[in-house]
């Protein structure tokens, strides 16, 4: 309390921000991530006295997420995603993993839409989208794409729209 009060006084008198850095505590025994405020190591008073708390959280994608855990004045900004350069260690702003995933799903959807009733093999989709095999397979599942059932090199297409299935020209899948 003495230290945080002194830092607040210095900050107020000099009109400067005082940045206090702390490292995360050890992981929880059950492997769950800690609450942003609970992640502060040391006395609870540190979190109480701070006006802003920012937390840099590693993500399984390899990115880092800058979280605004506490904002005393104003609305809490959305997290900022960062990619760290392996050579220099410098962070750059990056797209959120969910946004990248959504864009990639749309790439697969567009490739299948372009292929129409003929469909595309996984390799064909990979060639068009430049995505990995596992990513393409995940996105085909997410899109509910249907296969022609071929054992070797099956072709996929988008599921028929409700209006298509009700049409009088309800031919077999992959004529």
């Amino acid at each position: 309390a003495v230290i945080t009060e002194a830092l607040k006084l210095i900050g107020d008198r000099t009109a400067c921000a005082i940045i206090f850095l702390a490292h995360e505590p050890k992981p929880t025994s059950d492997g769950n991530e800690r609450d942003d405020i609970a992640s502060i190591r040391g006395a609870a008073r540190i979190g109480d006295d701070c006006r802003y708390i920012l937390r840099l959280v590693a993500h399984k994608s390899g990115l880092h997420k800058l979280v605004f855990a506490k904002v005393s004045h104003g609305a809490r900004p959305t997290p900022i995603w960062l990619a760290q350069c392996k050579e220099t260690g410098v962070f750059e702003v990056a797209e959120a993993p969910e946004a990248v995933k959504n864009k990639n799903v749309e790439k697969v959807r567009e490739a299948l839409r372009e292929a129409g009733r003929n469909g595309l093999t996984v390799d064909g989709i990979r060639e068009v989208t430049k995505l990995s095999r596992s990513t393409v397979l995940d996105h085909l599942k997410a899109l509910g794409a249907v296969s022609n059932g071929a054992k070797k090199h099956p072709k996929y297409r988008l599921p028929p729209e409700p209006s298509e299935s009700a049409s009088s020209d309800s031919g077999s899948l992959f004529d």
Side-chain angles (χ1 to χ4, degrees):
V2 173
I3 293 171
T4 57
E5 285 300 320
L7 291 174
K8 281 171 54 176
L9 183 64
I10 292 168
D12 289 342
R13 286 185 180 171
T14 62
C16 291
I18 304 294
I19 299 174
F20 182 83
L21 298 174
H23 62 84
E24 298 263 325
K26 293 179 180 162
T28 61
S29 59
D30 59 5
N32 291 329
E33 189 175 316
R34 295 179 190 275
D35 176 78
D36 287 327
I37 300 295
S39 68
I40 298 171
R41 186 163 183 166
R45 178 81 189 244
I46 295 171
D48 294 342
D49 288 351
C50 291
R51 293 182 182 139
Y52 300 92
I53 297 174
L54 286 85
R55 183 172 176 223
L56 190 61
V57 182
H59 188 263
K60 64 182 178 185
S61 66
L63 297 176
H64 290 78
K65 180 171 64 167
L66 184 62
V67 178
F68 297 83
K70 178 181 177 182
V71 176
S72 295
H73 307 290
R76 187 183 303 184
T78 57
I80 298 171
W81 288 90
L82 303 167
Q84 188 174 24
C85 176
K86 293 191 188 313
E87 290 83 38
T88 64
V90 174
F91 287 100
E92 290 186 5
V93 175
E95 283 189 277
E98 195 58 38
V100 172
K101 180 180 178 183
N102 291 342
K103 284 182 181 180
N104 288 341
V105 167
E106 285 309 309
K107 284 181 184 179
V108 173
R109 183 191 317 271
E110 188 55 34
L112 292 175
R113 192 176 289 132
E114 290 284 324
R117 294 179 58 88
N118 294 330
L120 280 174
T121 63
V122 171
D123 288 337
I125 297 168
R126 288 186 62 210
E127 188 176 314
V128 172
T129 63
K130 308 298 185 226
L131 298 172
S132 71
R133 181 175 185 78
S134 62
T135 299
V136 168
L137 290 169
D138 286 346
H139 296 334
L140 286 170
K141 184 184 277 187
L143 290 169
V146 290
S147 165
N148 63 357
K151 297 269 190 237
K152 197 171 189 179
H153 309 295
K155 288 189 175 185
Y156 294 87
R157 73 174 199 158
L158 292 172
E161 296 293 323
S163 60
E164 285 181 40
S165 60
S167 70
S168 59
D169 181 26
S170 58
S172 64
L173 182 61
F174 298 99
D175 291 334

